[in-house]
């Protein structure tokens, strides 16, 4: 018995020593490798953060100016405004005053609807200049002298540098958007431009909103050699700012490259990117000490965790080195059976020691796995229904916004009373949305569509002709609520409305065998092949769409997802179209009577 005890003790020591060595070698090796590599990873991490902030800031600026510049097309929504700008003959005083007042009212309305603008100035084919209330027309031509007119006339929108506006009603720092009016008739070799004035404070707020997302990183924005924004105003004085700008002006390396500069005895990391639309340089910076502190902090944590893990491993080696392994074979056998897919195998081992507890844990694990599998099946079913409800709820609210603005504009400008028609239609739509079931008859859905079209016809002064090609025998069939409205809404918003003139919308519903074939076709601006491919990808692969900034197609994704989830993969939604010829959306759903 003594001999057996000695052998057991020797095996225990060897087992414990082997266990400690196995744990110690990778821990020490990882610590050495980690110490050599982690600093570069930390540095690279901050570089990525700064580059991401650069890209995000540049994207925010580009989107901001792109959205604002669309207001320069305001005259395309009113034929009289366009005719005023296209007049080539000299005007008498009364005619000029009348045109000027009409143009000013239109531009003032744009300012009221867009709080980001503080002034609009526009010139016509005969050199006359019109402006909104509060805009200084005297800045238009001096700003044009600073810009390449050839590129302006090629269609490029230019953003001015920040300048001080001295006009009484529009004082302070201002940035202007300049666009050549190439869409006017007879514009060739004429100096016709639109100028949109924006308070620079709004742009500073844009920069501030992005830079506040990471308080450790500072932001500098320059226009040429002029500083226009610094997120941390006390970080550098004027001389240090000049030193930084001088370096980036002289270097020949590419943007987004991490560089290190010594400023006032302290090291800083900088990255730069160029915003193509404004020509502004966006520079992100972070003190090197922050990177060093992050490195030291994480290395210290890793050392402490490694020591705790090593200590825990040693304790576990002592505790578990005396265990016997024979009773585990039966458990391994059962586990192989479970691995083949059967969850009905339980180990019948009645023990009160640690092995018994292991067996009990195994049996409990199998029970939980079986329960988890059943829950997963139920969860998938619930998730599918939840996704259906969620997709149905994602209705784009811009239609309501446009409608309310139209009601307000009609009431204030024209002082007429078509409001009752719009209010009644809108009320019916809300009642339909709140009280209707998830599935309605096609007749009910068409009434909803007609309410929507009534409002749009009032908005656009009956410029659009609506053609209904619907078999009467399909009105009793069932359809998911709000399945058609996103398609109709897209036809107005992306097709007919940007077209500017009159248009036609066709809604066709036909029964073909046991299915319903639905077609929505417009003769709007159409769609390019590249855009059509992008929409197809966004519908078929929603995860790709999220990565490619795709909120433009959420209505089509909703419709397609609802059709697939509710009716099945054999039913579909298809989109065809050509640029300047119109767009056609077709869908196929089963012909089902309402339950």
């Amino acid at each position: 018995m003594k001999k057996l005890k000695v052998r057991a003790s020797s095996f225990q020591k060897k087992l414990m020593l082997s266990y400690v060595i196995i744990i110690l070698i990778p821990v020490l090796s990882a610590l050495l490798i980690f110490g050599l590599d982690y600093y570069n990873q930390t540095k690279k991490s901050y570089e990525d953060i700064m580059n991401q902030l650069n890209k995000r800031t540049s994207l925010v600026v580009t989107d901001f100016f792109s959205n604002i510049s669309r207001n320069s097309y305001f005259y395309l929504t009113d034929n009289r405004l366009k005719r005023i700008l296209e007049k080539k003959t000299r005007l008498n005083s009364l005619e000029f005053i009348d045109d000027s007042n009409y143009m000013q009212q239109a531009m003032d309305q744009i300012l009221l609807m867009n709080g980001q603008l503080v002034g609009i100035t526009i010139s016509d084919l005969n050199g006359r200049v019109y402006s909104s209330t509060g805009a200084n027309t005297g800045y238009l031509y001096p700003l044009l002298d600073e810009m390449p007119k050839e590129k302006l006339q090629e269609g490029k929108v230019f953003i001015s540098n920040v300048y001080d506006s001295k006009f009484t009603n529009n004082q302070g720092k201002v940035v202007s958007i300049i666009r050549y009016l190439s869409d006017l008739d007879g514009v060739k070799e004429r100096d016709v431009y639109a100028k949109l004035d924006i308070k620079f404070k709004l742009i500073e707020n844009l920069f501030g909103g992005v830079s506040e997302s990471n308080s450790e990183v500072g932001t500098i924005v320059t226009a040429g050699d002029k500083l226009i924004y610094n997120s941390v105003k006390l970080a550098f004085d004027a001389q240090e700012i000049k030193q930084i700008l001088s370096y980036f002006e002289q270097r020949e390396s590419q943007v987004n490259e991490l560089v290190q500069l010594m400023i006032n005895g302290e090291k800083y990391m900088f990255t730069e990117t160029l915003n193509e639309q404004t020509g502004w340089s966006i520079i992100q910076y972070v003190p090197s000490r922050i990177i060093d502190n992050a490195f030291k902090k994480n290395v210290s944590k890793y050392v402490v965790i490694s020591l705790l893990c090593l200590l825990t491993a040693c304790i576990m080696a002592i505790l578990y080195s005396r265990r016997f392994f024979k009773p585990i074979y039966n458990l391994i056998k059962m586990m192989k059976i479970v691995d083949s897919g059967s969850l009905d195998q339980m180990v019948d081992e009645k023990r009160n020691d640690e092995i018994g507890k292991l067996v009990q844990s195994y049996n409990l694990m199998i029970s939980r796995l079986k329960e988890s599998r059943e829950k997963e099946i139920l969860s998938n079913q619930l998730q599918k229904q939840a996704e259906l409800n969620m997709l149905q709820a994602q209705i784009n609210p811009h239609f309501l916004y446009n409608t309310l603005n139209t009601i307000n504009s009609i009431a204030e400008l024209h002082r007429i009373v078509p409001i009752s028609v719009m209010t009644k239609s809108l009320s019916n739509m809300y009642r339909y949305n709140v009280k209707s079931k998830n599935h309605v008859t096609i007749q009910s859905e068409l009434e909803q569509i007609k309410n929507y079209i009534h409002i749009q016809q009032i908005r656009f002064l009956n410029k659009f002709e609506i053609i209904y090609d619907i078999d009467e025998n399909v009105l009793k069939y069932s359809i998911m609520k709000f399945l058609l409205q996103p398609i109709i809404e897209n036809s107005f918003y992306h097709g007919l409305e940007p077209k500017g003139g009159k248009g036609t919308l066709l809604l066709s519903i036909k029964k073909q065998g046991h299915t319903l074939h639905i077609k929505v076709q417009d003769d709007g601006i159409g769609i390019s092949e590249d855009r059509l491919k992008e929409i197809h990808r966004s519908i078929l692969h929603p995860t790709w769409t999220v990565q490619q900034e795709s909120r433009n197609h959420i209505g089509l994704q909703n419709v397609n997802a609802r059709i697939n989830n509710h009716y099945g993969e054999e039913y579909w939604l298809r989109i065809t179209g050509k640029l300047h010829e119109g767009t056609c959306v077709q869908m196929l759903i089963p012909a089902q009577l309402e339950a």
Side-chain angles (χ1 to χ4, degrees):
M1 294 293 296
K2 186 176 180 180
K3 184 177 181 181
L4 291 174
K5 184 176 181 180
V6 170
R7 288 184 177 179
S9 176
S10 177
F11 176 76
Q12 176 184 354
K13 291 178 180 179
K14 292 179 180 179
L15 182 62
M16 187 173 64
L17 181 61
S18 301
Y19 188 79
V20 170
I21 292 175
I22 292 173
I23 296 297
L24 187 60
I25 290 176
V27 168
L28 293 177
S29 300
L31 182 60
L32 291 174
I33 297 173
F34 183 84
L36 296 174
D37 186 63
Y38 189 76
Y39 182 80
N40 289 330
Q41 292 182 3
T42 305
K43 185 177 178 181
K44 184 65 168 60
S45 175
Y46 274 90
E47 180 181 1
D48 292 340
I49 291 173
M50 290 191 288
N51 285 333
Q52 289 172 6
L53 285 175
N54 267 344
K55 292 178 181 178
R56 181 180 172 190
T57 304
S58 181
L59 181 61
V60 168
V61 171
T62 300
D63 288 345
F64 176 80
F65 283 112
S66 296
N67 291 332
I68 293 298
S69 65
R70 294 191 182 99
N71 291 283
S72 66
Y73 294 90
F74 70 95
Y75 54 85
L76 296 178
T77 63
D78 189 330
N79 288 331
R80 180 179 174 183
L81 295 175
K82 191 169 184 289
R83 288 195 300 270
I84 291 173
L85 295 176
E86 292 174 346
K87 288 181 179 180
K88 299 179 182 178
T89 59
R90 298 183 63 86
L91 306 179
N92 60 50
S93 298
L94 291 178
E95 186 178 2
F96 176 74
I97 292 173
D98 183 53
D99 288 349
S100 180
N101 288 337
Y102 190 82
M103 184 69 71
Q104 186 180 51
Q105 288 178 5
M107 290 188 284
D108 287 344
Q109 185 64 29
I110 296 297
L111 298 184
L112 287 175
M113 297 175 65
N114 192 327
Q116 296 166 321
L117 289 173
V118 295
I120 301 176
T121 304
I122 193 167
S123 62
D124 67 6
L125 296 179
N126 205 28
R128 292 178 290 268
V129 179
Y130 305 93
S131 66
S132 63
T133 303
N136 189 344
T137 59
Y139 287 108
L140 175 60
Y141 291 105
L143 289 175
L144 286 172
D145 292 338
E146 301 175 359
M147 300 179 181
K149 292 187 178 180
E150 296 78 8
K151 291 188 178 180
L152 274 170
Q153 293 176 358
E154 290 174 0
K156 181 173 177 60
V157 175
F158 275 86
I159 313 299
S160 73
N161 287 334
V162 182
Y163 64 93
D164 291 322
S165 175
K166 305 298 184 181
F167 197 65
T168 303
N169 296 328
N170 186 13
Q171 294 184 346
K173 291 185 177 181
V174 174
V175 173
S176 295
I177 301 174
I178 309 292
R179 185 181 73 84
Y180 181 70
L181 307 184
S182 60
D183 39 27
L184 293 179
D185 294 336
V187 75
K188 187 176 182 182
E189 297 181 357
R190 299 279 186 140
D191 289 337
V192 285
Y193 301 94
K195 177 172 74 72
L196 307 180
D197 299 331
I198 309 166
K199 282 287 188 182
F200 184 65
K201 185 65 177 177
L202 294 173
I203 302 172
E204 286 185 325
N205 292 338
L206 286 180
F207 291 138
V210 175
S211 60
E212 287 176 2
S213 63
N214 194 314
S215 59
E216 295 179 339
V217 179
T219 303
I220 296 174
V221 182
T222 66
D225 58 352
K226 182 179 179 182
L227 176 68
I228 62 175
Y229 177 77
N230 184 8
S231 64
V232 187
K233 299 186 182 301
L234 298 179
F236 304 113
D237 58 26
Q239 186 63 29
E240 291 166 348
I241 292 289
K242 185 176 180 181
Q243 178 184 350
I244 296 169
L245 298 183
S246 176
Y247 172 81
F248 281 103
E249 288 176 4
Q250 296 174 3
R251 75 185 190 127
E252 298 179 354
S253 57
Q254 299 295 321
V255 297
N256 294 330
E257 177 184 349
L258 185 68
V259 297
Q260 181 174 286
L261 294 178
M262 182 71 72
I263 307 295
N264 197 21
E266 184 174 1
K267 292 182 180 179
Y268 289 83
M269 300 293 182
F270 294 86
T271 61
E272 178 196 26
T273 190
L274 180 68
N275 182 266
E276 295 183 357
Q277 185 170 26
T278 61
W280 296 347
S281 293
I282 302 172
I283 303 172
Q284 305 290 342
Y285 64 90
V286 63
S288 294
R289 56 180 167 78
I290 292 180
I291 300 177
D292 296 338
N293 292 338
F295 165 73
K296 293 176 182 178
K297 182 178 180 180
N298 283 282
V299 168
S300 300
K301 288 182 179 179
Y302 182 81
V303 171
V304 172
I305 293 173
S306 298
L307 292 175
L308 290 176
C309 290
L310 184 60
L311 179 60
T312 303
C314 292
I315 295 174
M316 291 176 63
I318 296 173
L319 293 177
Y320 289 98
S321 61
R322 298 180 182 180
R323 299 288 178 91
F324 294 98
F325 305 105
K326 287 185 179 180
I328 298 178
Y329 293 153
N330 188 36
L331 183 60
I332 293 174
K333 181 180 179 181
M334 294 296 104
M335 290 177 65
K336 289 181 179 180
I337 297 176
V338 170
D339 187 60
S340 65
S342 175
L343 293 179
D344 296 324
Q345 301 295 325
M346 296 290 182
V347 179
D348 186 13
E349 188 73 37
K350 297 180 180 180
R351 298 173 61 105
N352 295 323
D353 56 8
E354 292 81 2
I355 299 298
K357 293 180 181 179
L358 181 61
V359 170
Q360 293 174 11
S361 298
Y362 167 79
N363 290 335
L364 181 60
M365 179 189 69
I366 296 300
S367 299
R368 288 178 177 175
L369 285 175
K370 188 175 181 180
E371 181 181 355
S372 176
R373 177 185 288 179
E374 295 172 353
K375 288 182 178 180
E376 183 179 3
I377 295 173
L378 179 60
S379 176
N380 288 336
Q381 296 173 347
L382 294 176
Q383 181 181 1
K384 191 171 184 180
Q385 182 62 38
E387 289 175 351
L388 179 63
N389 294 336
M390 180 187 68
L391 292 172
Q392 185 174 349
Q394 293 178 348
I395 303 299
N396 192 336
H398 79 268
F399 151 69
L400 178 59
Y401 176 82
N402 288 338
T403 301
L404 294 177
N405 274 304
T406 303
I407 294 173
N408 183 56
S409 299
I410 292 174
E412 291 185 357
L413 296 180
H414 299 286
R415 301 180 181 274
I416 57 177
V417 195
I419 299 175
S420 61
V421 176
M422 297 182 71
T423 306
K424 183 177 179 180
S425 298
L426 189 58
S427 175
N428 290 337
M429 292 177 67
Y430 269 111
R431 189 181 303 111
Y432 179 85
N433 184 27
V434 173
K435 295 186 177 182
S436 298
K437 300 178 292 184
N438 289 336
H439 291 81
V440 296
T441 62
I442 290 180
Q443 182 174 3
S444 298
E445 184 76 358
L446 285 175
E447 291 175 358
Q448 167 75 354
I449 296 301
K450 290 178 180 179
N451 286 326
Y452 173 82
I453 291 176
H454 285 160
I455 295 174
Q456 294 291 38
Q457 291 286 45
I458 294 176
R459 281 188 63 213
F460 297 103
L461 305 178
N462 291 314
K463 290 196 301 183
F464 306 132
E465 179 184 6
I466 311 301
I467 300 175
Y468 297 96
D469 183 15
I470 302 170
D471 293 342
E472 291 185 1
N473 60 350
V474 305
L475 298 178
K476 60 185 178 182
Y477 286 100
S478 173
I479 191 173
M480 284 188 291
K481 185 171 68 174
F482 286 121
L483 194 65
L484 296 181
Q485 183 183 345
I487 309 301
I488 301 294
E489 186 175 348
N490 272 357
S491 293
F492 276 96
Y493 187 72
H494 296 291
L496 296 175
E497 183 177 347
K499 182 180 179 181
K502 294 188 176 182
T504 302
L505 176 68
L506 169 66
L507 173 59
S508 171
I509 305 178
K510 302 289 184 180
K511 185 174 183 292
Q512 299 178 353
H514 297 289
T515 62
L516 296 177
H517 185 269
I518 302 173
K519 179 169 70 174
V520 178
Q521 184 172 1
D522 66 76
D523 60 354
I525 63 173
I527 189 168
S528 65
E529 291 185 6
D530 293 339
R531 191 66 168 169
L532 190 60
K533 291 178 181 178
E534 179 187 342
I535 293 175
H536 285 159
R537 283 195 297 267
S538 72
I539 293 175
L540 298 176
H541 308 286
T543 55
W544 179 91
T545 304
V546 172
Q547 297 169 358
Q548 299 292 328
E549 82 62 48
S550 69
R551 286 187 171 267
N552 294 335
H553 318 312
I554 187 66
L556 296 176
Q557 291 179 29
N558 269 340
V559 174
N560 187 65
R562 293 173 65 195
I563 290 174
N564 292 153
N565 289 343
H566 184 73
Y567 296 125
E569 298 291 337
E570 65 270 24
Y571 300 99
W572 43 259
L573 178 142
R574 295 173 181 169
I575 306 171
T576 56
K578 290 185 178 181
L579 196 61
H580 308 304
E581 293 185 14
T583 306
C584 179
V585 179
Q586 302 180 71
M587 67 177 74
L588 187 71
I589 63 174
Q592 299 174 345
L593 293 174
E594 186 177 20

